[in-house]
């Protein structure tokens, strides 16, 4: 469990056996250890694989499969408003939910810059005031309500004073309705800030600025306001991330390959909510020894993880061990992460994230960037290279002689050459259902024994049986 809490990253090219080799070995171990967890899906057949794992472990009743047409519903805003914990209901936490999803869809968070920072701040301001208005007026919040507030907000100072607009606007009706409630709750300062934003500051923005802010929100919210995503995430609330703390395994059967951006948005959003729930589940002041005895470990699983990572993952993984959470991410190669963490600092962000996943499992790979990075991660050592030669000379009169030379030099060379990652076995009948892997773990000393000596090194070669080819 100590190793699992420190995180696992599995690399392997398409058909390398990463899912059916090391992936299935770890997944079955989690199931047999009775862990709860969250499974994100990219491919359409992943739910069948997890059903098989659950059947083998006798845990079929522990599965909570979230999919189109299922009775399971998760109104994410209502959950964040009413969830357990003293931090529940804070507007800023609700705002960050949207920003996390926008980050996944936009893929520009690594670019930064003044303009980007400005638009991020103004979008948060819009969301903050819409959420506060909904809570002040109705003690509840959901995405359709926020959409109506923003869609019916005044577009000019003159319109804000127009009686016809006031009579038809949901935004103005809620402003009027929330005044007395805010006074009862002792939140008049929040009310006045919210009122002034909607009646003065928002309509006073330049038309171009206001349209960009509004369209940024509506373009993201639109997919959640119709069809499957509205049914799953904007109606009822009958399951929560806390179910996994009691041993349930939540499978988001909304594969990216089937639902495209809709599936990605939904899973990134729920992953973010789940991660924050995990981080706060151990009460302050509880000693680690006591937590180890009373807090059930949980796992986060993502095959094709490049679809689901964002900047919050590095922060989550930095404290996952004390939260008793096991992260396992599987992807083809390093460039898939570099493309996700785009921008000038993409490599630094990707390596920061990967640095917090202590165990790296490398399967067969044809990508030179990944193979060189793997070789660099394992490191170099001082090695002695010997050389020798022999030559024969022929003189002008037919005579000659033999010349011999020999020598050696010390060089720093890779412990494992990048080429070796291209030759690992990938399973299948031609490989006797054997999948080769090279496992590296930061801070670990592996002792391997041969007929002549024992060797200590920071990696180990391992063969996984391919149970699902």
């Amino acid at each position: 469990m100590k190793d699992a809490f420190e995180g696992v990253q599995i690399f392997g090219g398409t058909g390398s056996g990463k899912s059916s080799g090391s992936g299935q070995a770890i997944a079955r171990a989690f199931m047999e250890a009775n862990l709860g967890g969250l499974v994100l899906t990219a491919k359409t057949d992943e739910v069948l694989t997890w059903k098989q794992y659950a059947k083998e472990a006798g845990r079929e009743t522990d599965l909570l499969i979230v999919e189109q047409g299922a009775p399971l519903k998760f109104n994410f805003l209502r959950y964040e408003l009413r969830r357990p914990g003293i931090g529940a209901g804070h507007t800023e936490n609700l705002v960050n939910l949207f920003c996390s999803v926008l980050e996944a869809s936009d893929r520009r968070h690594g670019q930064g810059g003044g303009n980007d920072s400005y638009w991020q701040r103004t979008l948060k301001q819009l969301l903050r005031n819409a959420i506060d208005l909904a809570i002040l007026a109705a003690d509840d919040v959901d995405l359709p309500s926020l959409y109506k507030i923003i869609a019916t907000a005044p577009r000019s100072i003159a319109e804000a004073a127009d009686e016809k607009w006031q009579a038809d606007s949901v935004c103005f009706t809620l402003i009027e309705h929330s005044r007395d409630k805010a006074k009862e709750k002792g939140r008049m300062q929040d009310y006045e800030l919210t009122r002034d934003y909607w009646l003065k500051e928002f309509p006073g923005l330049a038309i171009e600025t206001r349209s960009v802010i509004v369209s940024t929100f509506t373009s993201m919210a639109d997919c959640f306001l119709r069809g499957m995503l509205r049914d799953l995430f904007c109606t009822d609330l009958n399951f929560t991330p806390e179910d996994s703390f009691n041993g349930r395994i939540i499978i988001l059967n909304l594969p990216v390959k089937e639902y495209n951006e809709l599936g990605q948005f939904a899973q990134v959003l729920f992953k973010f909510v789940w991660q924050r729930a995990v981080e706060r589940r151990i009460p302050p002041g509880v000693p680690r020894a006591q937590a180890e005895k009373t807090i059930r470990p949980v796992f986060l699983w993502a095959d094709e993880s490049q679809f689901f990572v964002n900047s919050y993952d590095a922060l989550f993984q930095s404290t996952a061990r004390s939260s008793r959470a096991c992260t396992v991410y599987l992807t083809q190669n390093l460039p898939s992460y570099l493309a996700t963490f785009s921008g000038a600092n993409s490599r630094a962000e990707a390596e920061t994230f990967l640095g917090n996943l202590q165990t790296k499992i490398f399967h067969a790979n044809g990508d030179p960037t990944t193979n060189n990075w793997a070789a660099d991660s394992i490191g170099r050592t001082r090695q002695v290279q010997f050389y020798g030669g022999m030559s024969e000379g022929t003189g002008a009169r037919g005579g000659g002689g033999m010349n011999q030379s020999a020598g050696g030099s010390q060089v720093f060379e890779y412990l494992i050459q990048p080429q070796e990652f291209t030759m690992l076995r990938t399973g299948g009948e031609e490989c006797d259902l054997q999948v080769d892997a090279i496992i590296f773990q930061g801070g670990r000393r592996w002792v391997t024994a041969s007929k002549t000596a024992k060797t200590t090194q920071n990696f180990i070669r391992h063969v996984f049986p391919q149970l699902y080819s």
Side-chain angles (χ1 to χ4, degrees):
M1 292 308 304
K2 173 183 175 296
D3 294 337
F5 292 146
E6 293 174 355
V8 179
Q9 173 64 59
I10 301 175
F11 284 107
T14 302
S16 64
K18 63 181 181 297
S19 299
S20 57
S22 62
Q24 63 84 20
I26 297 171
R28 292 174 70 245
F30 286 168
M31 298 294 282
E32 292 168 3
N34 207 32
L35 271 63
L38 171 64
V39 178
L40 311 179
T41 62
K43 296 174 285 190
T44 56
D45 61 347
E46 286 184 68
V47 66
L48 299 177
T49 300
W50 281 93
K51 284 182 177 179
Q52 181 65 28
Y53 293 155
K55 182 178 180 181
E56 291 179 354
R59 299 190 60 191
E60 292 173 281
T61 58
D62 286 339
L63 298 184
L64 291 178
I65 300 177
V66 182
E67 58 189 358
Q68 187 172 4
L72 296 173
K73 314 293 181 187
F74 182 71
N75 188 320
F76 63 96
L77 289 176
R78 186 169 296 149
Y79 165 79
E80 185 61 37
L81 181 66
R82 301 177 180 176
R83 64 167 174 80
I86 59 175
H90 285 279
T91 300
E92 204 63 25
N93 291 337
L94 292 160
V95 170
N96 287 334
L97 282 179
F98 287 90
C99 295
S100 178
V101 178
L102 284 171
E103 178 187 340
S105 63
D106 200 29
R107 298 305 189 197
R108 294 180 304 164
H109 64 282
Q111 291 181 2
N115 291 333
D116 285 343
S117 298
Y118 171 75
W119 296 121
Q120 289 169 12
R121 291 196 303 272
T122 52
L123 174 63
K124 284 188 174 184
Q125 185 182 24
L126 176 82
L127 291 169
R128 192 177 295 118
N129 283 279
I131 290 168
D132 270 351
L133 181 57
I135 294 174
L136 285 171
D139 291 320
D140 195 9
V141 61
D142 57 32
L143 197 55
S145 298
L146 299 185
Y147 186 88
K148 289 178 182 178
I149 290 171
I150 294 170
T152 63
R155 296 305 191 259
S156 67
I157 298 294
E159 186 176 53
D162 182 72
E163 292 183 358
K164 185 178 184 306
W165 170 81
Q166 293 176 0
D168 297 336
S169 171
V170 172
C171 179
F172 185 78
T173 300
L174 292 179
I175 291 173
E176 290 292 289
H177 184 67
S178 61
R179 182 188 300 110
D180 292 339
K181 287 194 170 186
K183 188 178 296 185
E184 293 174 5
K185 298 175 184 177
R187 295 189 60 186
M188 283 303 295
Q189 184 175 1
D190 291 341
Y191 166 77
E192 291 169 0
L193 287 171
T194 303
R195 178 200 61 195
D196 291 347
Y197 175 81
W198 290 117
L199 298 182
K200 297 178 182 178
E201 185 173 352
F202 181 76
L205 291 171
I207 295 175
E208 296 82 1
T209 302
R210 186 172 58 247
S211 64
V212 169
I213 300 168
V214 172
S215 65
T216 302
F217 166 77
T218 56
S219 61
M220 186 279 290
D222 186 66
C223 63
F224 282 93
L225 293 170
R226 63 187 73 218
M228 177 198 69
L229 293 187
R230 185 183 188 280
D231 183 52
L232 289 176
F233 294 99
C234 296
T235 54
D236 202 359
L237 176 63
N238 55 22
F239 82 99
T240 68
E242 283 78 10
D243 288 324
S244 66
F245 306 164
N246 298 318
R248 308 304 293 274
I249 300 165
I250 302 170
I251 301 177
L252 301 182
N253 188 28
L254 306 168
V256 177
K257 294 299 184 181
E258 177 65 39
Y259 293 99
N260 302 310
E261 286 188 346
L262 299 185
Q264 184 185 31
F265 288 171
Q267 295 186 78
V268 168
L269 184 146
F270 190 85
K271 174 178 74 85
F272 181 60
V273 176
W274 184 88
Q275 287 175 320
R276 296 203 305 184
V278 169
E279 290 174 322
R280 64 174 175 264
R281 70 186 182 129
I282 299 180
V286 175
R288 177 175 294 180
Q290 182 180 342
E292 290 176 355
K293 295 178 181 178
T294 59
I295 303 296
R296 182 196 300 267
V298 292
F299 68 87
L300 169 61
W301 186 280
D303 202 346
E304 304 295 341
S305 52
Q306 70 274 10
F307 291 117
F308 309 113
V309 297
N310 55 24
S311 59
Y312 193 75
D313 285 288
L315 297 176
F316 172 74
Q317 193 55 40
S318 66
T319 59
R321 180 179 177 184
S322 45
S323 300
R324 297 180 64 74
C326 315
T327 301
V328 181
Y329 279 178
L330 301 85
T331 193
Q332 281 83 17
N333 49 54
L334 181 60
S336 67
Y337 281 150
L338 299 181
T340 299
F341 294 96
S342 57
N345 298 320
S346 61
R347 191 176 188 94
E349 290 193 33
E351 290 187 344
T352 297
F353 159 68
L354 289 170
N356 286 332
L357 299 169
Q358 286 297 305
T359 299
K360 313 290 195 306
I361 302 178
F362 300 101
H363 291 279
N365 212 319
D367 176 63
T369 301
T370 305
N371 294 341
N372 282 303
W373 182 82
D376 281 327
S377 297
I378 294 171
R380 302 172 187 253
T381 186
R382 182 181 288 109
Q383 301 177 24
V384 178
Q385 292 185 346
F386 295 98
Y387 57 85
M390 179 179 295
S391 62
E392 181 177 359
T394 303
R397 299 180 180 179
M402 299 293 294
N403 295 319
Q404 297 182 1
S405 62
S409 62
Q410 288 189 345
V411 297
F412 282 94
E413 193 55 85
Y414 286 125
L415 283 166
I416 297 182
Q417 291 294 325
Q419 180 190 18
E420 291 191 47
F421 297 101
T422 68
M423 299 185 292
L424 300 175
R425 290 181 297 173
T426 59
E429 296 295 337
E430 64 275 15
C431 297
D432 298 322
L433 300 180
Q434 302 291 299
V435 180
D436 290 338
I438 295 173
I439 304 173
F440 165 76
Q441 191 177 82
R444 179 71 173 267
R445 290 186 164 202
W446 305 90
V447 179
T448 57
S450 64
K451 293 182 179 180
T452 57
K454 288 185 177 181
T455 304
T456 301
Q457 52 196 15
N458 64 346
F459 70 94
I460 192 171
R461 301 174 188 272
H462 189 71
V463 179
F464 290 95
Q466 190 177 43
L467 300 186
Y468 303 99
S469 59

